[in-house]
Amino acid sequence: FSSLSKCYIPNQVMKGIRRISRVSIEGNIAVGKSTFARLLNKAVQNWEVIPEPVTKWQNVEGATSQPVPFPQQTASNLLQMMYQDPKRWSYTFQTFSCMSRLRTQLQPPPSRLLQISDAAVQVYERSVYSDRYIFAQNMFELGCVNTTEWAVYQDWHTFLVEQFGPKVQLEGIIYLRAPPQICMKRLKRRGRVEEQGIQLDYLESLHMQHENWLLNKSTKVHFDHLKNLPVLVLDAGLEFEKDLEMQARFLREGILPSK
Ligand code: DGT
């Protein structure tokens, strides 16, 4: 990760304007992104983690300030709808998840970060890029997003990312890598209701998408800045949630000075 941190330095000062670097944490479902993010938030004060907006997907009307249409209806849980009927809801899910990720990536940095003199870093749990190159692509390959939907998705995704340009570019990716079987165990352990029907082969296909994009570099990416992006791979197959020594090792391997 030291090579990644080096590339922050030239970006810190651009014509006297302070620039915050942006990094995303990527990895399979239930691999431990949120746990790792909490660890980062606690351990390094110049890194600010912005969590993935899962709760918005579980309550669409709440997230969009739209009233629930009929008083007797409950709010739409798009995450649940997508898992229950992926052919019907995957495209809708990807439009909403991508919009919420875009909003997250466009948020201005908190003033706390601007006051820190060291290299400051804003960290996202996933990104508009994994939305496309992991999930949307996977749903297309599984036949849950049809050819027309995939073409429409790619068209607006490319347009939006190009329009926002440097505002949504990343300087690096942290890939939490673990065997799908381990993610499956963690998924069962945490027991999120919507995910109870997930099968191992779904996690295996998502694992392959991560490998192809971040390790083998065999995914055809549309955006030039993604092609040479530094990727830090951490072995998240190890149980790091309660192991303080392991946590310290993770931080030593990758991350900047401790608090
Ligand atoms: P973590 O902290 O590594 O345990 O991560 P999770 O599992 O809490 O969070 P994450 O990002 O894997 O996603 C939450 C749920 O939303 C999970 O069931 C996977 C699903 N999900 C996230 N992003 C997408 C997406 O773009 N498309 C689809 N179809 N599902 C997604």
Side-chain angles (χ1 to χ4, degrees):
F1 210 43
S2 57
S3 63
L4 180 54
S5 63
K6 269 182 212 136
C7 78
Y8 297 149
I9 295 157
N11 289 328
Q12 290 303 308
V13 181
M14 284 167 38
K15 293 182 189 153
I17 301 167
R18 200 167 148 60
R19 166 107 160 61
I20 311 272
S21 299
R22 303 186 191 95
V23 170
S24 79
I25 306 175
E26 306 288 353
N28 211 336
I29 298 175
V31 71
K33 292 178 294 299
S34 313
T35 308
F36 182 71
R38 276 197 302 275
L39 183 66
L40 266 184
N41 255 350
K42 249 190 4 207
V44 261
Q45 60 151 315
N46 52 334
W47 288 56
E48 176 84 23
V49 183
I50 303 165
E52 189 171 50
V54 185
T55 49
K56 287 189 180 176
W57 312 334
Q58 292 169 315
N59 177 357
V60 173
E61 287 81 2
T64 55
S65 313
Q66 300 300 316
V68 178
F70 302 104
Q72 68 273 29
Q73 263 184 331
T74 51
S76 315
N77 183 339
L78 189 53
L79 185 66
Q80 186 164 45
M81 290 152 80
M82 183 270 298
Y83 279 129
Q84 281 177 350
D85 189 353
K87 278 202 174 167
R88 168 65 184 86
W89 292 109
S90 284
Y91 175 78
T92 310
F93 189 93
Q94 292 313 139
T95 63
F96 198 56
S97 58
C98 195
M99 284 308 291
S100 50
R101 286 176 169 134
L102 190 60
R103 281 204 182 96
T104 302
Q105 283 184 242
L106 289 170
Q107 264 177 38
S111 53
R112 189 187 73 73
L113 270 197
L114 294 168
Q115 285 151 14
I116 293 170
S117 58
D118 300 350
V121 184
Q122 213 162 0
V123 185
Y124 309 102
E125 285 185 47
R126 296 226 170 91
S127 59
V128 293
Y129 306 106
S130 41
D131 199 278
R132 175 167 172 170
Y133 295 117
I134 301 294
F135 284 100
Q137 177 147 337
N138 194 50
M139 286 308 194
F140 169 61
E141 288 173 13
L142 293 177
C144 299
V145 161
N146 69 34
T147 314
T148 310
E149 290 169 328
W150 183 220
V152 172
Y153 175 95
Q154 291 180 98
D155 188 49
W156 61 248
H157 186 281
T158 301
F159 176 75
L160 286 177
V161 170
E162 284 177 355
Q163 284 299 305
F164 286 109
K167 285 187 184 166
V168 291
Q169 286 183 9
L170 300 173
E171 275 82 24
I173 288 179
I174 300 174
Y175 172 26
L176 297 188
R177 184 168 185 252
Q181 292 80 354
I182 289 189
C183 296
M184 193 70 191
K185 265 197 211 147
R186 292 178 186 166
L187 184 151
K188 295 278 177 216
R189 196 164 63 204
R190 82 162 166 216
R192 187 181 278 152
V193 176
E194 296 88 342
E195 295 172 343
Q196 294 315 297
I198 292 182
Q199 303 291 318
L200 182 61
D201 57 358
Y202 182 60
L203 296 187
E204 282 170 347
S205 65
L206 288 172
H207 179 72
M208 278 321 298
Q209 299 293 357
H210 282 90
E211 299 284 285
N212 290 342
W213 177 35
L214 299 172
L215 281 191
N216 312 330
K217 311 271 180 194
S218 56
T219 300
K220 199 169 167 296
V221 291
H222 185 89
F223 309 103
D224 283 343
H225 85 276
L226 283 187
K227 290 177 185 153
N228 298 313
L229 206 59
V231 177
L232 170 75
V233 185
L234 293 178
D235 182 358
L238 307 164
E239 287 296 338
F240 64 93
E241 185 168 359
K242 299 204 172 77
D243 187 332
L244 293 180
E245 211 170 292
M246 188 78 66
Q247 292 180 7
R249 208 184 98 197
F250 261 37
L251 292 170
R252 262 202 317 277
E253 271 180 29
I255 319 303
L256 304 171
S258 294
K259 269 181 194 170

